[in-house]
Amino acid sequence: MLQPIIGNIPAELRQIPQWVCWKAKPGKNGKIDKVPFDPKTGRAASSTDPATWRTFGQAVAASKNGGGYAGIGFVLNGGPFVGVDLDYCRNPETGDIQAWAWEIVQKLNTYTEISPSGKGLRMLLKGELKNPGRRKGKIECYVTGRFLTVTGHRVEGTPAAVMDRQQEILAFHESVFGKQKPPAKKQPPTQQATGLLSDDDIIARAKPGKDEVLARLWAGDISGYPSQSEADQALCNKLAFYTGKDPEQMDRLFRQSGLYRQKWEREDYRNRTIGKAMEDVQEVYTGGRISAEEAFRELDWDGNIIEPGTQSAAKQLPIIQVNNRSLPSLTKHALNALASSNYPPKLFIKDGKIVRVRKVLDKNNKNQAYCRPIIECVDEPTLKGYLARSANYVNVREKKGELVTVPAFPPNELVRDIMAQEDLPFPLLKGIVQAPVFRYDGSLFDKAGYDDVSSLYYLPEGNLKLPRIPAKPGNRDLQAAVNLLRDIVCDFPFDSEASRANILAAIITPVLREFINGCVPLLLIDKPLQGTGASLLADIISIIATGESSYMTTAPEGKNREEEWRKRITSILLEGRLITVIDNVEECLKSATLCAALTSKKWEDRLLGTNKNAYLEHRTCWFATGNNIRLAGDMPRRCYLVRMDAQTAKPWERDTRQFKYPNLVQHVKQNRGALLAAIYTIARAWINAGRPAAVKAPIMGSFEEWRNTIGGILEFVGVNDFLTNNTQIQENAEVNEGIEPFIQAWYETIGPVAVTTKEIKRRMEFGPNSEVLRDALPDWLDPYDRGFTRKLGRVLAKKADVIFTNGLKLVKTGTTDRASLWKVVAT
């Protein structure tokens, strides 16, 4: 059996949620039967039951997870796709194709692949045929009610896409099977009731030549079904059609069929099987009378009669009856219609919510207007609009013996029920990217739209042109790529080789974010004075990754800063921003909320204005810029550093004519394609080399995946100073939240004496060394604030028994008058 080549399967097929897995089962006369299975449940699937079909990604994942599946298959569902099978026409050893088959391949000229056995060919094309399925000798042609195994082993010389071949398939079908029979002429409405055949009438139809499927099941033949239970369900579906969904008549007839067995006497099994048939079957036998769907198809959406030979958008959509049916049944068929119309995908699932991708008007930090893509949760009115455009919703009534169809809106109960479902047939969306998707396997997705392999939506900015990326980059290719990336930042005054290595890491990290299955630390772009170029450097990184300047925010201040951090982080992740810059940090950068976000793959928070929680995937890369940035708390170990120093008192007055690229932003925008290609070239070479992990880079807890991947790529191309300036971050940070200098001053002025926080405050006000104690306090502790002693007490409680880097230890020695006693001792 040929294993599927996923990347070769046409993208337009992969976007449609009509996929199953299949297993090989020995059949009659030595043949192999291909039995379909639901990729999600692992149960038998049916080519006529959309509830058992899944997305392409789900089918691929299930086929690789050890379920015993031989491959994946695509279900034909009545258009616009036609499948043509040519059996026993290819030599699997030599690859030679027989002349008669090759003539058909050339005539249809569409996507053609080798069958799993290697002995046949299969073609998929776009077109319409009235007859649902035909077979003659070694040739089969199907449009519905059949699943086709898909291998991706495309025949060389045939198109890579599914082509529109309406005239060709009609001519081919007529030459092989004869002329298509014209559709039966519709009968005028009568007073006859629908679906009221007698038992004898239905049994008469269960004979060969009348209804072949019903006849076979009635006789007890279950071949072609994975189990008798599946055959029982198929027979009940037939009976539901002919009886007009009369459960008593269905039960009565089933007992007379060849499938009857003792299990049918189990009330739960019987009721479940009959109930599912009544829910699945939408149309019933009308006895020659025009059905509700047929009647509506004679009208356009405004109720006007469609003239012969004309088309209508309404005529092409499925009909969904709203009234007189259960909500689960309505929801099921509405979801099927919505999923079928969701191509190319517009609706997605992200973090358990239905979302869509939108472009919104925004302004950059230069006050220039531009459109940026965001991920937006779909609310009830929006979903209702999508439903109304995916099907024609109608109320059906009987008036004077005739069926009358009246256009209706999707009911609110339907919208809410769909939004409450857990297993929706929409593709997963991980995020938006504005650079071609470089997949984990080294392949490249560079067409605007959704990539079902990576689950990313590629929305390019402007007219991006990407140079060719070599399949096997050589040393010359690698050196040129590295030089191009280094050249783009050559005018920035980095203080060390470590900063130069770290800026390369910062450039490639957002572009290769898909490669990092973990957290990414915050990039500190630090410098002594303003005007050195930190904001420009952040913009350059963002333009390469997204095509636009970076999104900038500021660090919240005040008593409610942690709450504000939480709101901002949630908003940024909801919108799917790839890069966020905390610009011009002036105060000490300290936030428990931001620290938690930086080390979290998933972010959970309550949605603003609701009582619902959002569970968001964290893919954002965070930067911070400032002058001599100070860090406190747990922030230092969550950062890596790029430090610049222009070695001048007024960096903003430097003559730009001395720079290699005086207008760097314009240069990067013009050469963005080449810069991205350089990153992809380096990454592809690293993949071809076996993805070596970093060896020389310092260990960085909580960010091992990022350090191993990005560090491995840099070391692979000869950049060996990655993260070697991490100690500088620790040295410049406010160790132990800036409290350590105060502990030192305490020991020097008070000594190893047990005191309360009130005594400490008194000594700050009146003691001989009061200024020494006051000056040693960190900025965020003010002795003149109301409640200072309580705040200081909470800080000391957090540092109890801590041994500081200066060798001093804070000890709680007891209480006096319900106040804690504290003492600093030397260890």
Side-chain angles (χ1 to χ4, degrees):
M1 293 287 181
L2 295 178
Q3 294 300 312
I5 303 177
I6 303 304
N8 286 355
I9 298 173
E12 53 195 314
L13 295 180
R14 297 188 309 215
Q15 305 286 358
I16 302 174
Q18 295 174 197
W19 290 86
V20 295
C21 295
W22 62 274
K23 295 181 181 180
K25 179 181 178 182
K28 297 179 180 180
N29 301 323
K31 293 184 177 180
I32 299 296
D33 292 335
K34 300 175 182 67
V35 183
F37 285 85
D38 184 331
K40 180 180 179 183
T41 65
R43 299 173 182 168
S46 169
S47 57
T48 59
D49 184 1
T52 63
W53 310 341
R54 304 295 167 185
T55 66
F56 176 78
Q58 289 173 310
V60 171
S63 68
K64 294 180 178 180
N65 287 342
Y69 299 120
I72 58 176
F74 179 74
V75 181
L76 295 172
N77 191 31
F81 301 103
V82 179
V84 177
D85 270 351
L86 306 179
D87 294 334
Y88 301 104
C89 62
R90 180 181 180 275
N91 187 323
E93 303 297 332
T94 64
D96 294 336
I97 298 173
Q98 296 180 15
W100 66 270
W102 186 246
E103 182 180 353
I104 295 173
V105 170
Q106 290 180 310
K107 283 182 178 179
L108 296 182
N109 191 27
T110 186
Y111 174 77
T112 305
E113 65 172 32
I114 303 168
S115 65
S117 67
K119 300 177 181 178
L121 301 179
R122 173 167 300 115
M123 286 171 280
L124 280 161
L125 52 89
K126 293 179 183 176
E128 293 185 7
L129 289 174
K130 296 182 179 69
N131 292 340
R134 299 289 292 273
R135 176 172 188 145
K136 184 175 181 179
K138 298 179 180 179
I139 301 175
E140 297 176 70
C141 186
Y142 294 96
V143 295
T144 189
R146 180 73 176 259
F147 90 93
L148 303 177
T149 57
V150 180
T151 66
H153 289 264
R154 181 167 61 91
V155 175
E156 187 176 353
T158 63
V162 179
M163 309 301 292
D164 191 339
R165 296 287 185 255
Q166 177 63 46
Q167 298 304 318
E168 289 83 351
I169 190 61
L170 287 175
F172 166 76
H173 198 276
E174 182 175 334
S175 67
V176 176
F177 303 108
K179 288 189 176 182
Q180 296 253 298
K181 294 181 180 180
K185 196 170 183 179
K186 296 172 184 173
Q187 300 297 323
T190 68
Q191 297 289 337
Q192 181 181 350
T194 63
L196 295 179
L197 292 174
S198 68
D199 289 5
D200 290 341
D201 290 335
I202 296 173
I203 293 173
R205 291 179 176 273
K207 293 181 180 179
K210 294 287 187 179
D211 185 323
E212 296 292 345
V213 176
L214 176 63
R216 184 161 53 86
L217 292 167
W218 186 264
D221 183 358
I222 66 171
S223 59
Y225 295 91
S227 66
Q228 182 166 344
S229 295
E230 297 292 328
D232 290 352
Q233 188 66 64
L235 176 57
C236 274
N237 286 1
K238 280 288 185 182
L239 294 178
F241 172 76
Y242 284 117
T243 64
K245 302 185 183 181
D246 183 336
E248 294 183 1
Q249 190 178 16
M250 292 167 65
D251 178 29
R252 189 167 63 246
L253 286 166
F254 190 94
R255 294 175 183 276
Q256 302 176 54
S257 74
L259 292 183
Y260 175 75
R261 51 181 170 151
Q262 191 61 34
K263 186 176 182 179
W264 189 254
E265 297 301 331
R266 281 175 41 191
E267 185 176 356
D268 62 330
Y269 177 75
R270 182 174 67 251
N271 291 343
R272 183 172 65 250
T273 307
I274 292 176
K276 189 174 188 305
M278 294 173 66
E279 180 180 319
D280 288 347
V281 175
Q282 287 185 275
E283 300 179 32
V284 296
Y285 178 75
T286 62
R289 175 178 164 180
I290 295 178
S291 68
E293 182 168 344
E294 290 173 324
F296 187 82
R297 287 190 184 279
E298 292 301 309
L299 306 175
D300 66 15
W301 190 245
D302 296 319
N304 302 313
I305 297 176
I306 301 173
E307 296 298 328
T310 63
Q311 290 293 323
S312 164
K315 190 173 183 181
Q316 300 169 8
L317 295 176
I319 307 298
I320 296 181
Q321 180 178 335
V322 173
N323 61 330
N324 301 325
R325 65 186 306 182
S326 67
L327 181 59
S329 172
L330 177 60
T331 297
K332 177 179 179 180
H333 292 117
L335 274 176
N336 288 339
L338 190 57
S340 296
S341 69
N342 195 35
Y343 174 75
K346 299 179 183 67
L347 296 177
F348 305 90
I349 294 296
K350 186 177 191 299
D351 304 305
K353 306 292 183 184
I354 306 175
V355 299
R356 63 175 177 172
V357 175
R358 281 191 62 201
K359 276 192 171 184
V360 298
L361 187 65
D362 203 346
K363 287 188 176 182
N364 59 22
N365 57 342
K366 297 182 177 65
N367 205 33
Q368 297 169 330
Y370 72 100
C371 285
R372 63 179 176 86
I374 66 167
I375 298 172
E376 179 182 68
C377 286
V378 172
D379 56 15
E380 290 184 14
T382 304
L383 182 58
K384 192 170 186 176
Y386 279 104
L387 287 167
R389 289 165 177 79
S390 67
N392 291 322
Y393 288 81
V394 299
N395 287 321
V396 180
R397 301 184 179 90
E398 189 167 351
K399 185 177 182 181
K400 297 181 180 180
E402 296 185 2
L403 291 179
V404 178
T405 55
V406 181
F409 298 139
N412 292 334
E413 293 80 2
L414 167 65
V415 178
R416 296 186 190 111
D417 191 47
I418 288 177
M419 297 189 78
Q421 300 300 310
E422 295 182 354
D423 183 23
L424 292 168
F426 308 131
L428 169 69
L429 179 64
K430 292 174 65 176
I432 303 173
V433 293
Q434 290 167 279
V437 180
F438 197 72
R439 298 168 176 150
Y440 191 77
D441 63 359
S443 60
L444 190 69
F445 179 80
D446 57 359
K447 296 179 181 178
Y450 178 70
D451 177 30
D452 59 329
V453 176
S454 64
S455 298
L456 294 172
Y457 198 101
Y458 171 41
L459 201 58
E461 179 62 32
N463 187 22
L464 176 65
K465 293 182 180 179
L466 199 69
R468 187 187 70 86
I469 302 166
K472 295 181 179 180
N475 291 333
R476 183 177 298 178
D477 298 317
L478 280 181
Q479 194 58 51
V482 174
N483 289 342
L484 185 60
L485 296 180
R486 281 176 167 161
D487 179 67
I488 212 66
V489 291
C490 66
D491 289 324
F492 291 94
F494 300 113
D495 71 334
S496 64
E497 289 303 316
S499 289
R500 291 185 177 88
N502 289 354
I503 199 60
L504 291 180
I507 291 172
I508 67 177
T509 293
V511 178
L512 301 181
R513 186 64 178 87
E514 186 66 11
F515 280 52
I516 305 162
N517 184 26
C519 306
V520 172
L522 181 145
L523 170 67
L524 289 177
I525 306 179
D526 195 26
K527 77 279 188 196
L529 293 167
Q530 66 270 28
T532 307
S535 297
L536 174 61
L537 185 57
D539 270 353
I540 294 307
I541 298 171
S542 181
I543 290 170
I544 294 173
T546 69
E548 285 294 341
S549 298
S550 53
Y551 169 72
M552 293 195 175
T553 186
T554 56
E557 299 177 1
K559 295 180 179 180
N560 297 322
R561 61 183 178 186
E562 292 299 326
E563 177 67 13
E564 183 61 29
W565 267 121
R566 181 187 63 79
K567 292 177 182 177
R568 290 193 194 181
I569 291 170
T570 300
S571 175
I572 287 166
L573 299 189
L574 271 173
E575 293 184 357
R577 293 189 184 275
L578 182 59
I579 294 175
T580 296
V581 179
I582 307 167
D583 193 37
N584 196 24
V585 176
E586 294 182 353
E587 301 294 332
C588 179
L589 185 58
K590 173 181 178 290
S591 169
T593 306
L594 180 58
C595 283
L598 289 170
T599 50
S600 300
K601 293 182 183 180
K602 297 287 184 179
W603 177 259
E604 179 182 355
D605 188 28
R606 179 176 53 82
L607 292 172
L608 191 64
T610 72
N611 59 359
K612 296 181 179 179
N613 276 15
Y615 301 88
L616 307 172
E617 184 173 4
H618 189 183
R619 299 184 70 254
T620 300
C621 297
W622 296 81
F623 301 168
T625 68
N627 302 329
N628 294 324
I629 301 174
R630 294 177 297 124
L631 305 177
D634 290 332
M635 191 62 69
R637 74 175 189 87
R638 288 169 165 83
C639 301
Y640 68 113
L641 175 66
V642 167
R643 172 83 174 174
M644 296 186 292
D645 188 351
Q647 301 290 327
T648 178
K650 298 179 179 180
W652 58 90
E653 292 185 352
R654 287 174 294 169
D655 187 356
T656 58
R657 291 175 298 180
Q658 297 178 2
F659 296 157
K660 184 174 182 179
Y661 300 111
N663 193 339
L664 183 58
V665 170
Q666 182 180 352
H667 176 76
V668 171
K669 286 185 175 181
Q670 291 174 347
N671 294 275
R672 182 174 176 237
L675 292 166
L676 288 171
I679 297 172
Y680 299 145
T681 298
I682 293 170
R684 182 166 284 173
W686 175 72
I687 292 171
N688 293 343
R691 306 174 190 264
V695 175
K696 300 176 183 179
I699 299 299
M700 197 167 181
S702 301
F703 304 99
E704 296 88 348
E705 180 82 13
W706 173 78
R707 176 257 184 195
N708 289 339
T709 299
I710 301 301
I713 292 173
L714 292 177
E715 289 180 17
F716 175 72
V717 296
V719 178
N720 297 316
D721 297 292
F722 178 53
L723 299 182
T724 54
N725 58 356
N726 273 9
T727 54
Q728 188 177 341
I729 299 177
Q730 298 293 334
E731 290 170 358
N732 296 337
E734 293 197 356
V735 180
N736 288 305
E737 300 179 273
I739 202 72
E740 186 164 319
F742 175 69
I743 296 296
Q744 180 74 38
W746 178 347
Y747 185 75
E748 291 174 355
T749 58
I750 300 175
V753 178
V755 292
T756 64
T757 55
K758 285 186 179 181
E759 175 64 16
I760 294 174
K761 181 179 180 182
R762 189 188 68 78
R763 295 204 182 205
M764 285 182 181
E765 294 173 344
F766 307 111
N769 297 300
S770 58
E771 290 184 2
V772 175
L773 278 173
R774 285 198 306 270
D775 292 344
L777 276 174
D779 294 342
W780 46 274
L781 272 175
D782 187 344
Y784 302 107
D785 276 352
R786 188 175 181 181
F788 167 73
T789 55
R790 289 194 300 272
K791 186 183 293 187
L792 180 60
R794 288 194 295 269
V795 173
L796 298 181
K798 287 177 60 178
K799 300 300 178 182
D801 297 323
V802 169
I803 298 177
F804 296 89
T805 59
N806 54 15
L808 299 177
K809 181 179 181 179
L810 179 65
V811 181
K812 183 178 180 181
T813 61
T815 60
T816 177
D817 295 331
R818 294 186 296 180
S820 298
L821 287 168
W822 299 96
K823 181 170 63 174
V824 176
V825 298
T827 57

